[in-house]
Amino acid sequence: MNNKSEISYYPEIMSFIEAQIISNFKASYGKELQVFCKTGELSSGLRNIINENHLKIKDIDDFATSVPPLNLDIFAIITDGNKFEILILEIKKTKSVGLNQWSQLVGYCIVSNARFGLLINIDAGASLRLIDLLQNDINISTIQRIKAQGNNSVHILGMMEWNSMTKNIEYSNLGSVPSISKLCNLIWERFNEDFQS
Amino acid sequence: MNTDKAYIFGLIIGGGVFGNSKDTFYIKLPYEQWGDAAKNPTRAGKIANDILKVVRPVFKSIYNIDVSYEVSPKWRIVCSGDCSVLLNDLVDHDINPLGEVRKNAYIKTVIMQLIDDNMKRRFLAGLADTIGSTTPSHRRFSDDTQILSFEIAGFNFDFVCDLCKLLSSIGCYPDQVLWNHPNMHSGRDAYYKSWKKGFKLRVTLDQYSNFGVFAFRTKAESSAENRKKQNKTNIAEHCKVKAVKVHDATAVHVDENSLILPETIRGGHYIHHKHFCAVLGCENAPYSDIDECLSSAEKYINPFTILHKGMRIEIDNIVNSTEIMKSRDYNEVSYTVEDLLSVFETNSMALIFSDSIDSGYPISTIIDAITYIVAAKTGMLHGKRPRGNRLNLLNEFAKNNPKTDIVFLVPDLLTPLIVVDDDVAALVGPVNPKVYKKLISFDKTNKYKMLVRNITENDLK
């Protein structure tokens, strides 16, 4: 394992994820999406993205205001101009990620109400225990919450690996987001939920 | 199409082999020496790891197909499970999943679906992981220009042209395309039968590293290792602005009309790798440069072989079965190696055995022929190639055998000269541009396709 810090990989990971999501939406659905990635504090980061890009999306201002302060490795707003989704990337650079790191991602998603989350380990995979859990219990990666107010919230999570040599995401098939193209399908379904129902 | 399918399609178009089964297919990885498990077990282990970490999950996730691999006798990825969705997807993209895909693949439909540079890179990553060779021998002249060579078997010229355009569209301008054609693989020898060595689409590693991608760590590492050998950075130029330089003539090969060549190419004679691009109608071909070269094409063709080396009996057979050579009167003359070296050292461009200034037999090719003869005499041949530097070999021989003559059979017209020895011989074709100009015409439907008719005695008289 090389000595580069975890943070130094953020720009290349962000640019990779951004490019894949934009390509997939354009190719699969003929839709030009906007993907805005940032690192650091979520609430102020969201407000900066909204202001810098003059985003006029329903509920996004309320979301940015109501979300509690949360320091994240990478987060992204993905929007088709009408709706938006938040994707959280929890980046690790460790020999193997385990339940500890997975729990961290789950926690961030619950607190921020982000629907999508990816745990990404740089040049390494997951512990046997986490593999076992993610392979055998879907409830660990698709989490349905009934909030105190009664409304539902769903979090869909996956685990992938960043290959620093090829600058490419490698899939582990662990969790409920097995690939970036599947993640795009899930986001597309979400954007079209009103039409479908 | 999506980014994952683009990568899978790249792998399949690069190495996919389909039989009649809908449950299994293979992806051939032509890793031969580079991936030899006995010679480099570490790399072999890493290749296996790449297959399991990169290929397996993407196939599982997109098509629910299982992936394993075989190392012996050759590297291949084994894909098994219900492949019907994938097969339908391929057919929907005009890829026929039958036999070795890259040999007949029509990739225009797939390419149209690669809607941006990122998607193109995913597709190219699949191709580069399969047929992109990073063997260290792929370099231009020296270690300073390391090459990634896309190695493509078969005679699918359109596929190579489409792939080349795709690479160019993301900034990976090709360094050179070695077309699977006798004029490329056997430019000097009109009779060489083993010219079918496949296509090599060569891109500098610098260019590919900047604009292309690998998904296999082993390929990326190997590419980085090769680039470390360079003392400079190479910047490639777009085909349209890169000057076309034709250095040598090419011999009209006996297989130019072979039915294995596609109709667009068949029957034509080609003087430069970009001449093919023009005939194929590539939008990036440097048409004005090709026009200029073709306007003086007589300097760049030879209706005879330029040099053919072989056993004496084989050369006799060629002469006796070629009317224009058979019916010549040959005058036997002899020169020492020293005499010939002296002519070469005075003027390496000299044409000899002729009374005209612009026709005759090039001394440089004659030096090649006698090097072969001398190497055969002294046990310095490796196949048909003399070992070592030709001038050193000849000087050494001249020093030790000052009185030994080399025998030439000089024809009464400018047909190939025969250099003979006891068991071996060589044919050397003459330069004769004024006459060769009469042989050239161009296809009525494709003005870049040059046709060279057979030469006759009347042409030479």
Side-chain angles (χ1 to χ4, degrees):
Chain A
M1 196 172 274
N2 64 43
N3 294 324
K4 271 178 76 177
S5 71
E6 177 197 302
I7 294 172
S8 66
Y9 294 97
Y10 292 177
E12 61 193 46
I13 296 174
M14 285 197 282
S15 119
F16 181 87
I17 292 278
E18 204 176 304
Q20 307 316 305
I21 294 175
I22 288 172
S23 287
N24 283 330
F25 268 83
K26 220 191 284 178
S28 300
Y29 313 114
K31 271 268 188 190
E32 296 277 352
L33 269 199
Q34 287 181 297
V35 181
F36 305 100
C37 289
K38 262 207 180 327
T39 65
E41 203 282 303
L42 179 63
S43 177
S44 58
L46 286 175
R47 281 197 296 273
N48 284 342
I49 292 173
I50 293 166
N51 293 334
E52 283 162 13
N53 300 285
H54 311 291
L55 297 183
K56 303 267 180 233
I57 307 162
K58 195 183 165 209
D59 300 335
I60 199 167
D61 288 318
D62 292 345
F63 181 88
T65 313
S66 62
V67 75
L70 204 56
N71 246 328
L72 299 174
D73 292 343
I74 299 173
F75 60 91
I77 298 181
I78 302 156
T79 175
D80 62 353
N82 296 314
K83 293 186 169 185
F84 72 95
E85 287 297 337
I86 303 289
L87 167 68
I88 289 179
L89 305 183
E90 177 57 25
I91 313 294
K92 294 291 169 197
K93 188 169 181 261
T94 179
K95 274 184 183 170
S96 70
V97 287
L99 195 52
N100 232 346
Q101 290 78 15
W102 185 260
S103 308
Q104 199 179 351
L105 176 67
V106 172
Y108 287 152
C109 287
I110 288 174
V111 172
S112 66
N113 219 20
R115 188 176 182 87
F116 300 103
L118 291 176
L119 175 59
I120 295 176
N121 199 3
I122 297 165
D123 294 327
S127 68
L128 290 175
R129 186 163 171 229
L130 183 62
I131 291 171
D132 187 47
L133 284 167
L134 291 174
Q135 278 176 343
N136 294 310
D137 191 350
I138 192 172
N139 297 311
I140 292 171
S141 58
T142 299
I143 300 166
Q144 304 216 24
R145 263 190 319 138
I146 301 170
K147 294 183 184 169
Q149 305 92 310
N151 50 346
N152 280 355
S153 186
V154 177
H155 308 285
I156 302 171
L157 315 174
M159 192 267 147
M160 296 177 184
E161 191 175 322
W162 177 251
N163 187 323
S164 67
M165 185 76 204
T166 60
K167 303 197 186 317
N168 182 30
I169 288 238
E170 291 171 359
Y171 304 142
S172 64
N173 288 158
L174 295 173
S176 298
V177 186
S179 63
I180 300 290
S181 55
K182 281 280 159 70
L183 171 69
C184 294
N185 290 349
L186 294 167
I187 297 171
W188 173 249
E189 281 169 18
R190 182 75 176 147
F191 284 163
N192 287 280
E193 254 174 18
D194 292 346
F195 301 112
Q196 284 161 4
S197 60
Chain B
M1 184 60 74
N2 61 45
T3 48
D4 295 316
K5 281 188 185 178
Y7 177 66
I8 290 175
F9 275 38
L11 288 174
I12 290 176
I13 290 168
V17 184
F18 291 83
N20 293 323
S21 165
K22 289 199 168 177
D23 301 328
T24 311
F25 70 92
Y26 304 95
I27 296 171
K28 269 170 58 171
L29 301 174
Y31 292 171
E32 321 292 325
Q33 299 287 321
W34 181 80
D36 191 322
K39 286 184 187 159
N40 196 337
T42 311
R43 179 177 287 154
K46 286 181 176 179
I47 293 169
N49 197 45
D50 279 334
I51 295 170
L52 298 179
K53 283 187 69 179
V54 179
V55 182
R56 177 186 269 178
V58 79
F59 267 96
K60 191 73 188 168
S61 152
I62 306 298
Y63 291 110
N64 197 26
I65 289 173
D66 292 316
V67 162
S68 59
Y69 64 89
E70 290 171 0
V71 184
S72 180
K74 287 180 176 175
W75 277 102
R76 65 179 189 175
I77 299 171
V78 183
C79 303
S80 54
D82 179 2
C83 304
S84 52
V85 177
L86 169 65
L87 296 178
N88 289 339
D89 245 0
L90 290 170
V91 171
D92 285 348
H93 287 84
D94 294 329
I95 301 295
N96 186 13
L98 197 63
E100 210 165 322
V101 175
R102 73 181 142 160
K103 286 190 174 169
N104 301 302
Y106 172 86
I107 57 170
K108 285 187 170 61
T109 309
V110 173
I111 288 176
M112 270 168 53
Q113 304 272 317
L114 307 172
I115 41 83
D116 61 13
D117 287 359
N118 177 61
M119 194 77 88
K120 289 174 186 174
R121 286 192 184 99
R122 301 315 306 156
F123 175 72
L124 286 169
L127 279 174
D129 285 348
T130 48
I131 54 170
S133 174
T134 51
T135 301
S137 59
H138 297 306
R139 38 176 225 159
R140 198 210 305 139
F141 304 129
S142 73
D143 277 348
D144 273 347
T145 309
Q146 297 290 334
I147 297 286
L148 168 69
S149 175
F150 288 90
E151 311 264 309
I152 302 147
F155 296 92
N156 194 347
F157 281 71
D158 284 332
F159 172 88
V160 177
C161 188
D162 288 337
L163 176 57
C164 191
K165 280 189 276 190
L166 182 67
L167 282 161
S168 292
S169 74
I170 59 159
C172 293
Y173 307 128
D175 183 61
Q176 188 200 38
V177 184
L178 196 51
W179 299 92
N180 196 12
H181 188 278
N183 296 152
M184 290 282 102
H185 285 298
S186 181
R188 276 160 49 104
D189 188 342
Y191 305 102
Y192 181 60
K193 287 191 171 66
S194 308
W195 58 267
K196 303 173 193 84
K197 295 177 193 294
F199 298 92
K200 290 176 193 293
L201 203 175
R202 294 154 57 93
V203 182
T204 64
L205 272 181
D206 286 335
Q207 204 72 10
Y208 194 78
S209 303
N210 283 338
F211 299 104
V213 281
F214 297 102
F216 278 19
R217 181 179 276 263
T218 31
K219 288 280 177 186
E221 280 177 351
S222 169
S223 160
E225 275 166 29
N226 292 351
R227 284 181 77 207
K228 273 187 198 158
K229 294 176 192 165
Q230 297 182 167
N231 290 314
K232 61 165 190 168
T233 305
N234 299 285
I235 298 163
E237 286 177 298
H238 193 285
C239 291
K240 281 181 181 169
V241 296
K242 195 171 169 187
V244 174
K245 290 175 197 151
V246 183
H247 298 287
D248 296 305
T250 46
V252 174
H253 194 279
V254 291
D255 282 348
E256 284 178 17
N257 290 306
S258 169
L259 291 174
I260 55 173
L261 295 168
E263 211 178 322
T264 326
I265 297 297
R266 193 189 310 146
H269 180 80
Y270 301 86
I271 57 173
H272 191 273
H273 69 95
K274 290 201 176 139
H275 186 188
F276 288 88
C277 311
V279 170
L280 289 165
C282 176
E283 67 219 29
N284 298 326
Y287 288 101
S288 57
D289 280 13
I290 297 293
D291 278 332
E292 203 178 318
C293 293
L294 290 178
S295 68
S296 53
E298 65 275 10
K299 291 191 287 186
Y300 308 125
I301 65 157
N302 196 320
F304 302 107
T305 193
I306 291 171
L307 175 65
H308 178 74
K309 304 176 281 193
M311 300 306 290
R312 180 130 190 211
I313 189 166
E314 185 207 334
I315 302 290
D316 286 346
N317 281 340
I318 290 172
V319 172
N320 290 329
S321 60
T322 313
E323 196 51 43
I324 198 167
M325 287 197 259
K326 185 185 171 187
S327 44
R328 297 278 58 75
D329 286 330
Y330 290 92
N331 180 29
E332 185 175 316
V333 293
S334 301
Y335 293 93
T336 63
V337 170
E338 196 179 356
D339 290 339
L340 294 161
L341 280 171
S342 148
V343 174
F344 179 73
E345 275 154 21
T346 309
N347 176 10
S348 64
M349 307 288 281
L351 299 172
I352 61 172
F353 300 126
S354 168
D355 48 12
S356 158
I357 192 169
D358 56 0
S359 64
Y361 302 89
I363 184 66
S364 179
T365 314
I366 288 175
I367 291 290
D368 284 337
I370 63 168
T371 308
Y372 168 68
I373 303 283
V374 164
K377 276 179 181 296
T378 53
M380 289 294 282
L381 272 186
H382 179 70
K384 284 186 180 178
R385 286 188 179 191
R387 293 176 208 264
N389 177 287
R390 63 178 185 163
L391 294 181
N392 291 347
L393 193 79
L394 292 180
N395 278 315
E396 184 71 15
F397 181 82
K399 198 171 79 185
N400 297 331
N401 307 275
K403 289 186 178 161
T404 306
D405 280 336
I406 302 290
V407 180
F408 295 88
L409 303 177
V410 185
D412 55 350
L413 292 175
L414 278 175
T415 61
L417 169 82
I418 312 170
V419 192
V420 291
D421 192 53
D422 299 337
D423 297 327
V424 295
L427 292 169
V428 175
V431 168
N432 199 355
K434 277 184 190 150
V435 171
Y436 298 166
K437 194 175 177 70
K438 294 188 274 183
L439 314 178
I440 295 171
S441 64
F442 293 91
D443 190 287
K444 282 177 187 148
T445 58
N446 187 334
K447 69 170 187 161
Y448 291 99
K449 186 169 175 181
M450 182 167 69
L451 313 171
V452 181
R453 72 162 168 82
N454 285 339
I455 192 163
T456 64
E457 277 196 30
N458 279 340
D459 292 320
L460 293 168
K461 280 176 182 166

